Amino acid sequence: LAKTTQPISMDSYEGQEVNITCSHNNIATNDYITWYQQFPSQGPRFIIQGYKTKVTNEVASLFIPADRKSSTLSLPRVSLSDTAVYYCLVASWDNYQLIWGAGTKLIIKP
Amino acid sequence: EAQVTQNPRYLITVTGKKLTVTCSQNMNHEYMSWYRQDPGLGLRQIYYSMNVEVTDKGDVPEGYKVSRKEKRNFPLILESPSPNQTSLYFCASSTLPGSRVETQYFGPGTRLLVL
């Protein structure tokens, strides 16, 4: 099972681009990388998913280098409402167990 | 509306008094799981289920039981709750695809306090 490592917390300011990197050195060939966002007292919700290179959707981009041992979630022009905990999840369905990291608490300041 | 529901949302109980937290999803998902979330520890999987009558232990199964008699329901049972089970609990569900991880849909959470 891949285990992920993320920074515990990060600060930034409104309008800035924020990059959060997740390390997953033991990622397996079939594993996908998924990022979730969680607000206080709510369940996590899906942001973006990728396997390799770059993926972009309406809220974020995900950069995955060729060796896939890390991934970077990029949030463009953050606002105060982006203050949340962000989780990187690396999982495969080989054994159906999902292991989540501790997440990164992102605080956006005005 | 596609959703995962949990009940109750808040629960205060005493040590040793059996309790059940219900979880139901209306998306016909095969995969369901329970998590507990404690400050600084992120999400830890308690039990998961790949389909009806198929369950398995996650990272922290001690003190918990689950059952999957119907596809939509996945109750979490604490036979004899203890104060160290005070936590925020989440139920989640997803499909079981062949080659990629599908989105996990989470319930609203159940905050449990064991005195």
Side-chain angles (χ1 to χ4, degrees):
Chain A
L1 288 172
K3 182 176 179 180
T4 62
T5 304
Q6 304 173 233
I8 294 173
S9 63
M10 294 180 67
D11 291 351
S12 188
Y13 292 90
E14 283 190 293
Q16 299 294 306
E17 177 185 81
V18 171
N19 296 311
I20 306 174
T21 297
C22 177
S23 172
H24 27 81
N25 292 319
N26 298 320
I27 191 168
T29 303
N30 294 330
D31 290 348
Y32 277 75
I33 300 154
T34 311
W35 284 80
Y36 289 80
Q37 177 191 55
Q38 185 182 26
F39 296 113
S41 298
Q42 296 183 23
R45 65 173 188 173
F46 174 90
I47 300 176
I48 195 166
Q49 183 182 83
Y51 183 80
K52 61 181 178 181
T53 63
K54 177 183 176 181
V55 179
T56 298
N57 62 22
E58 62 276 8
V59 297
S61 294
L62 179 59
F63 300 91
I64 305 167
D67 65 7
R68 302 198 332 117
K69 293 186 176 182
S70 66
S71 58
T72 299
L73 173 72
S74 181
L75 303 172
R77 299 178 299 281
V78 293
S79 64
L80 296 176
S81 62
D82 291 316
T83 293
V85 177
Y86 292 83
Y87 290 94
C88 162
L89 176 64
V90 175
S92 68
W93 290 107
D94 288 342
N95 62 0
Y96 304 110
Q97 185 176 0
L98 300 178
I99 297 180
W100 297 68
T104 297
K105 185 173 184 178
L106 176 64
I107 298 174
I108 305 300
K109 303 174 183 177
Chain B
E1 178 191 355
Q3 62 181 352
V4 178
T5 57
Q6 293 178 229
N7 282 293
R9 294 290 311 279
Y10 305 92
L11 180 59
I12 301 174
T13 189
V14 295
T15 298
K17 186 175 181 181
K18 180 180 178 179
L19 66 91
T20 300
V21 183
T22 64
C23 173
S24 182
Q25 50 94 3
N26 62 1
M27 295 168 279
N28 201 36
H29 285 163
E30 293 89 356
Y31 189 86
M32 297 186 74
S33 56
W34 276 102
Y35 296 90
R36 62 177 290 172
Q37 187 169 41
D38 303 291
L41 294 178
L43 288 161
R44 293 184 292 169
Q45 198 175 43
I46 301 170
Y47 269 94
Y48 58 96
S49 169
M50 290 76 76
N51 217 322
V52 175
E53 302 293 358
V54 183
T55 63
D56 211 341
K57 297 177 181 179
D59 284 336
V60 288
E62 292 77 21
Y64 304 94
K65 286 176 56 177
V66 293
S67 68
R68 189 90 182 272
K69 293 184 171 54
E70 304 166 284
K71 196 172 186 179
R72 63 182 293 128
N73 296 323
F74 190 46
L76 178 69
I77 304 156
L78 285 70
E79 294 272 2
S80 182
S82 62
N84 65 11
Q85 292 178 297
T86 291
S87 187
L88 177 59
Y89 291 86
F90 289 102
C91 179
S93 74
S94 71
T95 58
L96 241 190
S99 61
R100 61 182 291 174
V101 177
E102 289 294 338
T103 303
Q104 297 293 312
Y105 291 85
F106 283 82
T110 295
R111 193 168 292 277
L112 172 66
L113 172 61
V114 183
L115 301 173

